[in-house]
Amino acid sequence: MIEVRGLTKRYPGRTVTRNAVDGIDLEIPEGKLVTLLGPSGCGKTTTLRLIAGLERPDAGEIRIGSRLMCAPAEGVFVGVHHRPIGVVFQSYAVWPHMTAVQNVMFPLQSGQKRMGRTEARRRAMEALEMVGLAEFADRPAPALSGGQQQRVSLARALTREPEVLLLDEPLSNLDAGLRDRVRDEIRSVQQRLGITTVFVTHDQDEALAVSDEVVVMDHGRIVERGQAQDIYRCPREEFTARFMGISNSLPGTVQEGGQDMAEISLAHGRLRCLTPAAAPVGSRVNVFIRPESLRLSRKDSSGRGWKGTVEFSIYHGDCWDYHVRVGDTLLRSRMYREKVGLAHGDPVFVVPEEETAIAIADKIAASDGAVADKDESWAK
Amino acid sequence: MSLISRSRPAPPPALADPRRPARSTQGLRGWFRDPRNLLLAVVALVVAYLAIVPAATMGVASLQSQFLSTGPVHWTFRHYTETLGTADFWTLVGNSFGYAAATAVISTVIGFGLAYLVARTDTPAKFFAQVAALVPLIIPGILNTVAWALLFAPHTGALNVLLRDVHLPAFDIYSLAGMVLVQSMHVTPVAFLMGTAAFSQMDSSLEEAALASGAPPLRVFRTITARLIRPAVLSAVLLMFVQTISTFEVPQLIGVPGRTFVFVSRIYNALQAFPTDYGTVGVIGVFILVVATLGLWLSRRLSGPGAGVQTISGKGYRPTVTELGRWRWLGLAAFVLFFVVAVALPLLMLVWSSLLPGYEPPSWSALHHLTLSNYREIWHTPGLVDSVRNSLITAVLAGAVVTVLSSLVAYITVKTKARGRGLLDGLATIPLAVPSVVMGVGILYWYLSMPLPVHLYGTLTILVIAFVTIGLPYGLRYIVPGMAQIKDELEEAAAASGASWPRTFWRIYVPLLVPSLAAAFLYTVIVAFREISAAIFLYTQGTQVVSVTIYQQWSNGSYPVVAALGVVIVVFLAMIVAIVRLLTRRFGLNRQ
Amino acid sequence: MHEVRHSRAGRRARSAALVGAALLLPWTLTACGSAGLGSIGAVEPARTPQALLPQAQAEGKVVWYTTFADSDVNDMISAFQKAYPGIKVDALRLSADKLPSRLVTEQRGRKYNADVISADCEPVYQLIKVGTLAPYRVPAAPPLPAQLRNLPDGFGNAVYVLTSAIAYNPDGVKAQHLQPPTSIEDLTEPQWKGRFSIDPSAINWYESLISSMGHTKALQLVKELGDNSPRLVESHTQSLTEVQSGEPLASVNAYAYKAASLARKTPGRMAFANTDPQPAAAALAEIARNAPHPSAAKLFMDWIMSPQGQDSVVKITNHTSLSPAAANDPSVWNPAKWKPAWSMPVITADTYDRYLQEYQKALHAI
């Protein structure tokens, strides 16, 4: 289990009004995989490196398994090589002058409790078997493919049975097909071993696929956290919603309030939406609708459809994305169908699904002067 | 939800953290507790000490009325005004810079060109090429220069006779062009070593990207490879420039007869006066140092931040070898040409000289006089075996020390963000700009005058110190590019695997740096065998080294005997080079 | 790894150390400095070898700083040890221009390593002047010529004499339709332009010219030589090797003894002509101040200046000895035929430097 309190790291040498990591608190429960998710520059990698001990924080505390790892205020800093961690780097960081098994043996022969060569090799072979690379054990590292190297890296990180596993965007450098396989491998190994894991990524699909919990970060702060399904189904912050790819956003006003759900009146009609936070009647909200929740049809059979014109379409193999102009907004609709048959300029009705859109309070319009984090520089 | 979530509201723009405690608990003492930092601090101090001693002596000598004299001395600027104020000093400057610049450019172009052939193409006979490229460095400077003087003597030089026979114009070696020719051939190996260190550790994916974008290979070389290698090239040019300015053999043996005078000639004149005019020597030394420092700063500026791009990562490290096809025989031909011109010719001249009882130019009639008597006489040279043993001991020790020190200094300058690291790099490079003569005097004076607990004068240690000081800047130049091309993550992965810093350094950095380390070691060994200007001040009865023996013989001995001695030394050193190359071939990354 | 705090503390430590070292250095360099080495002491009277022997044997060895050629030193040492077995000789060979500064530097650093010095008279005299040598009357020293008797008492020990001659390549000279040179003035003729070499650091040769024909004439002669495009040479080996190679054809101030031994080996390519007057320079042997093995030093001096020692010198090195009984090489030394013109060691340092300057200027060597 990892416990982080008030962790702060400044950008070195510059005086800016934000920090790389800005006073975050975090707790990673024992045996769970928590993902730090966010655009580049949000501080997720820095946080991971701080936990690993590859960087020193300016303030805060980090505990791994109830042992204090660092606390600048008290002058405590446990060096990287003394921390009970395993790290997988984005570029694999597999040593080119060693074979696969030598790479995996290295941690067993370092540190205070060193193993003899035979014992270390045995344990390393076990780790390699776990990731399915036993037959490549004596191959020189540069002769392995990218995916194989990443798995070696994983085996190496786990071989001395650390308390905590840290992965820094481990899948970014892999090609798409490989990415899924390695991702599954990582998740399966993690669950099998029950090891506390922190996973850093900018890809929300990855985050959803492997995580027990997701922590969304932006500009050095935690925006939102929760279980993967909750984050996906009903994000509480606009940033999260946009980052998770919920690309359609329409302004609206709350007509009828409720506990979890509210009736929102939009420009083109009314819609029943999820409300993560209590929304007083009459308040302004932004309604986020997933592309999958917008159905298209030529005829407005339900009467709730919004009239629009198809602008262009993108084919993804298993689905079609249609960009439809409704009024002065461009909406994106995703249809999982073989043939849809709509072309540029076709008139079409857009039918939103009820009770799936998310209504989030519009902070800018809100009148009580809370600081509006409306920075548009989200990379996604 | 099982996570305690308490995201703080946005704080006011100020950065101050009221809980910030006094940093003194984490200060100096805590910092030193880390063995890595302790080691690095020690290294920095040692390097600073080694570099400052000769440079400071030079400065003091230039400012004292009579340095090392027996009467009272006082501080004065007289030497500066006297030396820098004369018109012919600036003629010296023009000559020296012209000579050094031409040499630097030519030797870098050739050296890096050959290095490219070895490291990045499929030119055959690589091993031979690698040894051959180093041999010019092995031939003792004096003998190499004399051999060229005899080959290209304006009227009777063997090559000039040949040239005239085929109706080509003869080449007068006693000219600026002659100086540049001889010195370029002599120092090209240094550029070659630097080039191989830089090229062989490059990840070629950057070039492949260019090739894949449709650029023809030549354009790729010009725009990508050349840019990547630029820091190393600039370093090499600077190095060759400064080294050329400070060495004495060519200016004294070819420049003086041809009446092309450079800094070193002036230094030698000053040394002949009695009492020795160390003031002038000091002023010139300081001048060279200032120029070299400016050059170093300039080359840094032009290289951009950091000593190079990190191209050795943990992933996909596969330096491509460009296949030249039919052209690879041209590559071999380039090597053979270089070998013939830079090595075979002077070496053959040496061998020829060594086989005659009294020198005569090569001719058919002379063949009757060939004899091995000079080689027999070598064995009777007093103290030859001792001097070879001394040279070997000092060479290996100095080589080891330079390799260790430079790799640690390279680590500090490249891998840490320590504030003083630019200064440290500069300090470690200062000895480059100190003419070896001044180095010898400086070290001699310091160790005689310093109230040290150990008496180093008259020991081999003082020679080792001199060789280490001279070899350190080169060691750095070989190792820094290699260090810079290793990605940080490789070290971080080791630390994250539980390895302490010394273990990380030994098991990760060292194996990846073997080509650079070997270059640094070999170069220092060769320096130790060849270095005469400094050694001549520091040797005593029991600590004579080979370079001194050769110098003594050449000053007032028998030329054929010293030629024979030179041949023996060349063979000996070539064997050492070959052995080290063989050993590191197995351990290097390029298992070709 | 990017640890800013590390670097700050580290930087403090490093800066402090550097500043400290930088401050310490000049202070040490100057503080250790200006103590004079002292003046010439009182002359040691001569001692008989027998009286010195027991002490010398107790001391066990003598350290000899010398400009004798490498190949000759060992043979000289063997000869000494035949006469006095049990006393080791540690020889440090130095070239003539390096020996004085080495001795001075050592003594200035209070390191007294040398017992006996032997070198050309010019640097030896300068060493005498700065008080690094100790006077000692050798019992059986060869008599000095008149011009050298102004050497201070106790220092007039001429261990050998070096003469200069014009070395030339007879075959080459004939091939170029030239006459073999017989005098220095010959080489100022136009047909010799650019065809001879000269050593621009041979001050003793220049001094010999001055002592034989006066300063003005000597300078004029050197100027004429300098205007005849001579090749400048750095070492004696180099100059004679070049003559053997045929380019240049002659060398103005070569060492006669060296030319003689080469002429024996390769007569077609090496011959030499002694001039009258013949430039001659004495090499002196002296005892160093605070010699660590004083008795052994005196014993060695006694031996090398004695008729037996001088005989060894001539036999082993082919130099010329002033000892009346010496069997010098007649082709090199014959005062009746070639009157020696001695170089003058006893001059002030300023005069020495002035001569050096004008000599080199006249030859366009600076």
Side-chain angles (χ1 to χ4, degrees), chain B residues 221-282:
Chain B
F221 184 83
R222 248 189 335 112
T223 52
I224 308 291
T225 318
R227 274 305 300 276
L228 285 177
I229 216 73
R230 189 157 81 157
V233 166
L234 286 175
S235 259
V237 168
L238 178 70
L239 215 80
M240 304 294 111
F241 184 87
V242 178
Q243 181 181 39
T244 303
I245 281 196
S246 328
T247 51
F248 86 98
E249 290 99 351
V250 168
Q252 287 301 98
L253 296 178
I254 294 185
V256 166
R259 289 201 172 71
T260 310
F261 299 111
V262 292
F263 287 138
V264 174
S265 337
R266 179 62 68 86
I267 290 181
Y268 264 74
N269 277 338
L271 288 177
Q272 276 175 338
F274 192 83
T276 315
D277 181 7
Y278 288 112
T280 306
V281 175

Side-chain angles (χ1 to χ4, degrees), chain A residues 179-197:
Chain A
R179 207 177 289 176
D180 290 351
R181 289 213 299 279
V182 177
R183 176 199 68 196
D184 294 344
E185 187 104 39
I186 292 175
R187 180 56 161 165
S188 105
V189 164
Q190 184 266 330
Q191 286 192 313
R192 229 183 313 147
L193 297 176
I195 183 170
T196 312
T197 304

Side-chain angles (χ1 to χ4, degrees), chain A residues 54-247:
Chain A
L54 292 169
E55 310 218 8
R56 281 176 181 256
D58 292 306
E61 275 183 8
I62 300 178
R63 281 183 160 71
I64 297 183
S66 79
R67 267 174 55 206
L68 185 62
M69 288 291 131
C70 81
E74 289 141 53
V76 174
F77 184 81
V78 175
V80 199
H81 50 288
H82 290 310
R83 298 197 187 192
I85 58 174
V87 181
V88 176
F89 291 86
Q90 180 174 0
S91 68
Y92 330 142
V94 163
W95 299 304
H97 58 293
M98 301 185 191
T99 61
V101 72
Q102 283 172 339
N103 262 278
V104 180
M105 277 164 66
F106 185 86
L108 299 171
Q109 296 168 311
S110 312
Q112 262 116 8
K113 297 190 271 244
R114 272 174 219 208
M115 273 182 210
R117 176 93 61 89
T118 17
E119 175 70 12
R121 194 185 160 91
R122 197 182 57 76
R123 288 274 290 268
M125 289 302 294
E126 280 177 16
L128 282 174
E129 269 185 45
M130 182 170 62
V131 297
L133 283 178
E135 58 191 87
F136 294 93
D138 290 306
R139 200 169 285 199
L144 300 171
S145 72
Q148 291 167 335
Q149 289 191 11
Q150 192 59 302
R151 283 187 280 160
V152 168
S153 178
L154 181 63
R156 177 180 67 188
L158 293 170
T159 186
R160 56 175 186 150
E161 294 176 359
E163 289 179 33
V164 153
L165 179 63
L166 305 170
L167 303 123
D168 184 6
E169 306 214 36
L171 308 175
S172 311
N173 289 356
L174 299 173
D175 40 294
L178 206 48
R179 207 177 289 176
D180 290 351
R181 289 213 299 279
V182 177
R183 176 199 68 196
D184 294 344
E185 187 104 39
I186 292 175
R187 180 56 161 165
S188 105
V189 164
Q190 184 266 330
Q191 286 192 313
R192 229 183 313 147
L193 297 176
I195 183 170
T196 312
T197 304
V198 179
F199 190 103
V200 163
T201 182
H202 59 267
D203 183 318
Q204 77 275 20
D205 294 330
E206 262 171 43
L208 294 176
V210 302
S211 320
D212 293 310
E213 318 205 1
V214 174
V215 173
V216 179
M217 289 182 68
D218 182 35
H219 286 118
R221 293 198 209 116
I222 295 178
V223 171
E224 181 171 350
R225 72 191 87 189
Q227 306 240 326
Q229 308 93 286
D230 296 333
I231 295 274
Y232 180 73
R233 195 181 69 90
C234 186
R236 287 195 312 280
E237 301 286 332
E238 254 191 60
F239 176 80
T240 314
R242 289 193 205 275
F243 195 76
M244 297 305 285
I246 308 177
S247 46

Side-chain angles (χ1 to χ4, degrees), chain C residues 179-195:
Chain C
Q179 290 303 317
T182 52
S183 72
I184 300 174
E185 286 79 1
D186 281 351
L187 293 174
T188 60
E189 302 291 314
Q191 66 265 31
W192 280 100
K193 192 173 181 77
R195 287 171 143 165

Side-chain angles (χ1 to χ4, degrees), chain B residues 374-387 544 549 553 561 565, chain C residues 70-71 74 93:
Chain B
N374 295 315
Y375 287 93
R376 263 173 272 146
E377 200 170 318
I378 298 181
W379 301 119
H380 297 304
T381 308
L384 175 68
V385 174
D386 284 340
S387 55
Q544 182 154 320
T549 308
Q553 281 282 2
V561 170
L565 187 56
Chain C
D70 268 21
S71 32
N74 265 18
R93 291 165 288 273

Side-chain angles (χ1 to χ4, degrees), chain A residues 16 19 25 27 49 54 56 58-59 73 75 80-81 85 87 89 91-98 106-107 109-111 142 149 156 160 173 213 221-222 225-226, chain B residues 1-8 10-11 15 17 19-21 26 314-318 489-490 492-500 503 507-508 511-512 589 591:
Chain A
V16 285
N19 295 330
D25 297 325
E27 206 179 276
R49 289 171 66 88
L54 292 169
R56 281 176 181 256
D58 292 306
V80 199
H81 50 288
I85 58 174
V87 181
F89 291 86
S91 68
Y92 330 142
V94 163
W95 299 304
H97 58 293
M98 301 185 191
F106 185 86
Q109 296 168 311
S110 312
Q149 289 191 11
R156 177 180 67 188
R160 56 175 186 150
N173 289 356
E213 318 205 1
R221 293 198 209 116
I222 295 178
R225 72 191 87 189
Chain B
M1 288 224 268
S2 53
L3 290 178
I4 301 168
S5 54
R6 191 170 40 91
S7 197
R8 254 190 234 150
L15 280 182
D17 180 359
R19 289 193 310 147
R20 182 151 294 278
Q26 250 248 313
K315 62 171 179 165
Y317 169 65
R318 265 167 278 195
E489 286 189 351
L490 294 184
E492 292 177 346
S497 305
S500 62
R503 185 173 157 75
R507 290 224 48 200
I508 307 296
L512 289 174
L589 275 167
R591 306 213 190 112

Side-chain angles (χ1 to χ4, degrees), chain B residues 354-538:
Chain B
S354 69
L355 292 173
L356 290 167
Y359 180 74
E360 54 183 305
S363 66
W364 294 115
S365 51
L367 286 174
H368 296 298
H369 301 156
L370 292 180
T371 164
L372 282 175
S373 61
N374 295 315
Y375 287 93
R376 263 173 272 146
E377 200 170 318
I378 298 181
W379 301 119
H380 297 304
T381 308
L384 175 68
V385 174
D386 284 340
S387 55
V388 170
R389 189 202 60 204
N390 288 337
S391 275
L392 204 53
I393 294 175
T394 49
V396 169
L397 275 179
V401 171
V402 163
T403 308
V404 168
L405 273 185
S406 343
S407 47
L408 290 172
V409 171
Y411 181 82
I412 295 177
T413 41
V414 175
K415 289 295 178 191
T416 67
K417 296 263 187 276
R419 270 329 151 70
R421 68 189 190 283
L423 178 66
L424 183 64
D425 189 33
L427 276 180
T429 311
I430 281 180
L432 202 63
V434 175
S436 317
V437 163
V438 175
M439 179 83 63
V441 172
I443 293 181
L444 172 69
Y445 181 75
W446 179 251
Y447 287 97
L448 277 180
S449 320
M450 265 262 280
L452 279 176
V454 231
H455 291 293
L456 288 178
Y457 178 69
T459 63
L460 284 178
T461 314
I462 205 174
L463 284 166
V464 173
I465 291 178
F467 298 150
V468 166
T469 313
I470 294 174
L472 189 61
Y474 297 93
L476 265 186
R477 290 289 161 270
Y478 297 135
I479 296 183
V480 161
M483 181 73 76
Q485 286 168 343
I486 298 179
K487 245 185 167 197
D488 291 349
E489 286 189 351
L490 294 184
E491 179 182 351
E492 292 177 346
S497 305
S500 62
W501 184 79
R503 185 173 157 75
T504 306
F505 196 84
W506 176 246
R507 290 224 48 200
I508 307 296
Y509 278 113
V510 167
L512 289 174
L513 283 174
V514 161
S516 306
L517 297 177
F521 180 78
L522 268 181
Y523 184 79
T524 310
V525 164
I526 293 176
V527 159
F529 267 90
R530 258 192 38 206
E531 170 51 46
I532 176 63
S533 313
I536 199 132
F537 286 97
L538 301 171

Side-chain angles (χ1 to χ4, degrees), chain C residues 31-44:
Chain C
C32 284
S34 33
L37 288 185
S39 47
I40 305 173
V43 183
E44 277 267 0

